[in-house]
Amino acid sequence: MNNVSEANKISTKLHEILEVRHLNDSTFIIRLERNNVEFKAGQHINVGPANSIHTREYSVYSSEHDPYLEILVKEITDGFISPVLKKQKPGNMLIVEEPVGYFSLPPKPDPEEKLLFIASGTGISPFHSFIKSFPGLNYQLLHGIRYTSEQYEADFYDPKRYIACTSRQKSDNTYFGRVTNYLEEHPVKGNVRCYLCGNSSMIHDVYDILELQGVPTEKIHAEVYF
């Protein structure tokens, strides 16, 4: 999700930064005052510096019920926004535009339906919001990353439901390979609804695999980050 927008096109508010948590050298979480913003888990907000007209889209990382807003950010060294956000400190103000997007869970979930969440990198953000907002979800989460240092707050997830797929580093606690390799070795079966979030190449390849495995297209939902 790399659209740049002008902050005056839709409703915006200034939000104070409450906390910045650095997860590794390039990735961090910014916690902002909620400021009465209402959103559905899976939606995204445009965020940017208070003194700039530029913002970038970030899926909300926090729960619908948290008293704050959080976003998960990976620094893009030649980007407009993320290098500036990385330098922010608690007490600083950021522009936050109203939540938008339709990447959401069914309003009336089928209790017999399993949810398969497939993410690459920071594409895990809306799934964190899903799971934190609705603790009883019947889900499995595949997280495609390069190194184990990119398992962003993995301790939050049920270890029986979270599978990190590392493409460049072998580990006793991860699957060595891409999420596409995992899906080819572990085909999707039964009553499953699939959600894909991350880079476009992953989504394209996973979509094709799921279709070949017989997953109906109406049960495949995608959110492209870049």
Side-chain angles (χ1 to χ4, degrees):
M1 300 191 306
N2 57 0
N3 296 336
V4 175
S5 62
E6 295 181 7
N8 61 357
K9 285 187 177 180
I10 60 175
S11 175
T12 65
K13 293 181 179 179
L14 287 174
H15 293 244
E16 182 179 351
I17 296 174
L18 303 177
E19 178 184 307
V20 181
R21 302 198 302 279
H22 291 272
L23 306 182
N24 58 32
D25 290 342
S26 63
T27 309
F28 52 97
I29 292 166
I30 294 180
R31 177 176 292 185
L32 299 156
E33 62 177 339
R34 178 115 182 200
N35 211 357
N36 298 317
V37 170
E38 296 298 325
F39 69 94
K40 290 184 178 180
Q43 287 189 309
H44 55 269
I45 51 178
N46 281 356
V47 179
N51 59 349
S52 172
I53 63 170
H54 299 295
T55 61
R56 190 186 188 281
E57 297 173 354
Y58 294 97
S59 291
V60 181
Y61 184 76
S62 46
S63 154
E64 291 181 3
H65 316 297
D66 286 329
Y68 49 78
L69 294 174
E70 286 187 335
I71 56 173
L72 174 64
V73 183
K74 182 177 177 64
E75 182 186 21
I76 307 301
T77 53
D78 58 351
F80 282 105
I81 302 301
S82 59
V84 179
L85 294 183
K86 188 178 182 183
K87 297 176 183 178
Q88 299 297 313
K89 303 293 183 183
N92 291 358
M93 306 296 286
L94 295 179
I95 289 173
V96 176
E97 297 181 5
E98 62 188 24
V100 293
Y102 302 96
F103 189 69
S104 58
L105 296 173
K108 294 182 179 179
D110 179 352
E112 302 300 321
E113 184 178 70
K114 185 173 183 178
L115 300 171
L116 177 60
F117 301 147
I118 304 171
S120 61
T122 55
I124 199 171
S125 193
F127 303 135
H128 183 275
S129 184
F130 284 164
I131 295 164
K132 196 174 186 189
S133 298
F134 307 101
L137 290 178
N138 180 17
Y139 75 92
Q140 182 179 46
L141 172 57
L142 302 182
H143 189 198
I145 53 179
R146 296 169 302 169
Y147 305 102
T148 57
S149 62
E150 296 169 344
Q151 295 180 79
Y152 309 129
E153 298 193 319
D155 290 347
F156 166 76
Y157 307 100
D158 182 340
K160 296 179 181 178
R161 296 179 181 270
Y162 172 83
I163 299 171
C165 301
T166 52
S167 61
R168 298 187 186 179
Q169 179 183 4
K170 290 185 177 181
S171 167
D172 291 340
N173 300 318
T174 66
Y175 170 86
F176 182 58
R178 301 180 183 276
V179 292
T180 48
N181 303 128
Y182 184 91
L183 289 169
E184 288 169 344
E185 294 180 17
H186 304 84
V188 175
K189 298 177 182 178
N191 186 10
V192 181
R193 183 174 296 273
C194 302
Y195 288 81
L196 324 178
C197 188
N199 69 72
S200 57
S201 60
M202 181 279 285
I203 287 177
H204 181 272
D205 292 344
V206 168
Y207 203 103
D208 287 346
I209 290 171
L210 294 176
E211 280 197 308
L212 286 173
Q213 292 179 356
V215 179
T217 56
E218 64 269 19
K219 287 198 170 190
I220 305 175
H221 310 271
E223 180 89 323
V224 180
Y225 261 45
F226 48 86

